[in-house]
DNA sequence: TTGTAGGCGTTATCAG
DNA sequence: CTGATAACGCCTACAA
């Protein structure tokens, strides 16, 4: 691999000049710039990243920490971050935190020790205090899908409450009045937000959730199945099941199938996340888009703007979810009209 | 951030000695090592990665190139690679190739220019020639799920032929004799392998595939649906549909549902990949495990063994798929016995 | 067993 | 506008 010295020698200039053209420093004469550029091409010279980092304190790399790489959410998130970063010649260094406080902590140190210019964090186990403390250190970071007031400028997240609101609202508008709700773990802020949003919509119609038609799950499929069984056994009537994510919705669908329930004729279902599962389920599941790609892009833009001084317009910190309608919700209104 | 100089000063030794204890060089006296270690702890010293790389020509980072980050396969792959690497304090740098020859090429240069010690490549558009040429350059690499004879030592891949064989064999053993087959694009080696394996199993039973019961798709869901429609319209009888991946199987399932076909009573289905979709489909889909995690781990081990000289046992280059049985295949034999 | 000193390939400050 | 030259922080012969 050729070095800046060889370029300077062949071009008949000093390494300082070569460095200037490499970094687009305006002061160099157009003629010498051309000449240097030619030699660079000719030698197929590529600057050494380590040397550059050592001298400039900039690595052009940003660390991404997510709980895990598989699953529909994090892949998309990383994908859109990398794509956005990459367009500006920045590198993505990745690590998984596995939802363990210790591993998340270590991963952050791991990434910092690699001199990442910035971090994008989707952490679950780390405390607010730790993150607030981290914000006082040297490495800037963005926090995905988590809101901490003291460092709100670092936070980019989905408006879960609005998401919960629109999913319930939609069902209400279709004429549904009797709901079952499968929640995520309520100590998690996203679950809480979704639940609050749902309740708010119900409140507007003076409806409250029957206790036997509420189930708190952990976002996995099996909970959805358990929940559905509980609902059916309760013998309390309902026409729609609202699920805090798609996986639990699928779990519930499976049980409904087993029990011979016709979907959406007998019972409607709506999920959250608009994950790939929603498209592939039977029937295809109506769901709430979680904006994962936009969030990733926004996070990358945050870094580009505030860390790399790229001229970008304002960062949106709160992303709004949208309803994606498929085939799992029936309109009671139409049917009613039709029948009568 | 403290440097090696500060450590050396406080410990009363030279930086060379500090460097030695950092790199576990045996020659240093146990007492001075302890002392240095203490000071390192005390100062919370972390070696500067850029400086280390510049001096040693080793970055401890390996580049991973996959077509995309989302989807069930690549997330798992990256996850298992990162986990394995991470356990040995190596970093994962990621890039997406987007199945475009140009982008794949640029991504490789991108990763090489970052001084990756090695690459793990899952590329689709790049030619064999390019990769063979690449193998002559400085940066070692592993090639995932692709076999090129000239650089076979670099290749780690699934035995697709065996996978095709066991999926057909299993159905045969359950008494099925009339098959429909939904293939992937046959110019791709994995599709070809799976197809060959299936044919081989059929051959053992003197069965050949009816042309109207063959469909070449592109691994996406819609193809599965189209294929299923074609099969049904052909009016040729079949009791089982063999699908070259899960997504197409799901597409076919959807159509089967629409047509009121009872699965698996009327028709059995089997997929390939054992992706998350297989668990979440209705009915849960029997499938062939594609060993993605083992492949990722093996690739990382390849790098650890041959690039970082970690003492590891032999690398398996060909991974064997396994049958994962769920609820989408019926046994004709039992039914026959039962009826008679 | 330890220390000295040159080198890794850039960037950036000062003179010129 | 260009050129010397001192960092940047670490590794590694070579010497002692």
């Amino acid at each position: 691999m050729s070095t800046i010295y060889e370029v300077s020698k062949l071009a008949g200039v000093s390494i300082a000049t070569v460095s200037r053209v490499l970094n687009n420093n305006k002061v160099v004469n157009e003629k010498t710039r051309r000449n240097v550029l030619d030699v660079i091409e000719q030698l197929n010279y590529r600057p050494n990243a380590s040397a550059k980092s050592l001298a400039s304190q900039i690595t052009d790399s940003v660390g991404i920490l997510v709980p895990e790489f598989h699953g529909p959410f994090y892949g998309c998130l990383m994908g859109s971050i990398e794509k956005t970063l990459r367009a500006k010649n920045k590198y993505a260094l990745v690590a998984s935190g596995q939802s363990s406080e210790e591993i998340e902590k270590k991963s952050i140190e791991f990434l910092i020790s690699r001199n990442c210019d910035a971090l994008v964090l989707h952490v679950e186990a780390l405390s607010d205090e730790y993150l607030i403390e981290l914000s006082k250190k040297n490495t800037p970071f963005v926090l995905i899908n988590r809101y901490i007031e003291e460092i709100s400028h670092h936070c980019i997240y989905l408006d879960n409450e609005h998401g919960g609101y629109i999913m319930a609202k939609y069902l209400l508008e279709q004429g549904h009045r009797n709901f079952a709700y499968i929640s995520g773990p309520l100590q998690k802020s996203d679950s809480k937000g979704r639940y609050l949003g749902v309740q708010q919509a119900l409140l507007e119609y003076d409806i409250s959730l029957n206790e036997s038609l509420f189930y708190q799950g952990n976002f996995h499929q099996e909970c959805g199945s358990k929940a559905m069984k509980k609902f059916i056994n309760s013998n309390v009537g309902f026409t729609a099941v609202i699920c805090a994510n798609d996986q639990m919705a699928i779990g519930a669908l499976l049980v409904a199938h087993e029990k011979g329930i016709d979907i959406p004729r007998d019972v409607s279902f709506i999920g959250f996340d608009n994950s790939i599962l929603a498209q592939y389920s039977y029937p295809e599941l109506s769901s709430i888009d979680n904006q994962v790609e936009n969030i990733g892009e926004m996070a990358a833009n945050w870094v580009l703007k505030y860390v790399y001084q790229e001229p970008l317009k304002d960062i949106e910190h709160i992303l709004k979810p949208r309803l994606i309608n498929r085939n799992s919700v029936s309109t009671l209104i139409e049917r009613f009209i039709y029948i009568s």
Side-chain angles (χ1 to χ4, degrees), chain A residues 253-274:
Chain A
L253 278 180
L254 248 38
V255 170
H257 281 131
E258 282 168 13
K259 304 284 185 185
I261 295 173
D262 187 313
I263 304 160
R265 203 197 57 194
D266 303 336
V267 180
S268 295
F269 285 81
I270 191 162
F272 204 117
D273 280 346
N274 189 31

Side-chain angles (χ1 to χ4, degrees), chain A residues 10 18 28 53 59 82 93 102-103 115 211 220 230 238 245 253 258 273 278 292 320:
Chain A
L10 228 171
V18 177
V28 349
S53 302
T59 58
E82 191 264 348
L93 218 59
E102 196 193 351
I103 301 181
N115 296 337
E211 216 176 298
H220 291 114
K230 171 184 169 183
F238 57 94
N245 81 341
L253 278 180
E258 282 168 13
D273 280 346
V292 52
K320 289 278 179 204

Side-chain angles (χ1 to χ4, degrees), chain A residues 143-245:
Chain A
L143 205 51
I144 301 284
N145 271 356
R146 179 158 169 178
Y147 178 75
I148 300 178
E149 196 171 355
E150 290 88 335
I151 51 173
S152 61
H153 177 251
H154 298 246
C155 303
I156 293 178
Y157 53 97
L158 183 72
D159 188 342
N160 280 294
E161 200 162 331
H162 185 249
Y165 180 80
I166 60 177
M167 75 198 297
K169 182 81 173 185
Y170 173 67
L171 290 167
L172 287 161
E173 285 168 356
Q174 302 307 308
H176 292 270
R177 294 293 179 272
N178 300 293
F179 301 98
Y181 186 68
I182 308 181
S183 170
L186 284 175
Q187 66 277 19
K188 283 197 172 187
S189 66
D190 48 359
S191 303
K192 212 189 311 172
R194 290 170 196 186
Y195 184 49
L196 288 175
V198 166
Q199 285 194 308
Q200 193 191 328
L202 296 187
L203 204 65
E204 291 181 6
Y205 283 69
D206 263 334
I207 294 174
S208 66
L209 225 44
N210 184 311
E211 216 176 298
S212 357
L213 296 181
F214 175 89
Y215 186 94
Q216 186 175 163
N218 62 2
F219 281 144
H220 291 114
Q221 182 187 8
E222 303 80 44
C223 301
S225 299
K226 282 186 199 159
M228 192 65 192
K229 282 176 191 157
K230 171 184 169 183
F231 300 157
I232 292 171
N233 290 334
S234 78
N235 280 322
V236 182
F238 57 94
T239 65
V241 181
I242 306 177
C243 310
N245 81 341

Side-chain angles (χ1 to χ4, degrees), chain A residues 24-38:
Chain A
N24 280 316
N25 192 319
K26 312 263 175 192
V27 301
V28 349
N29 180 296
E30 194 49 34
K31 212 166 170 180
T32 58
R33 147 170 283 122
R34 289 262 176 70
N35 178 25
V36 170
L37 250 21
D38 279 353

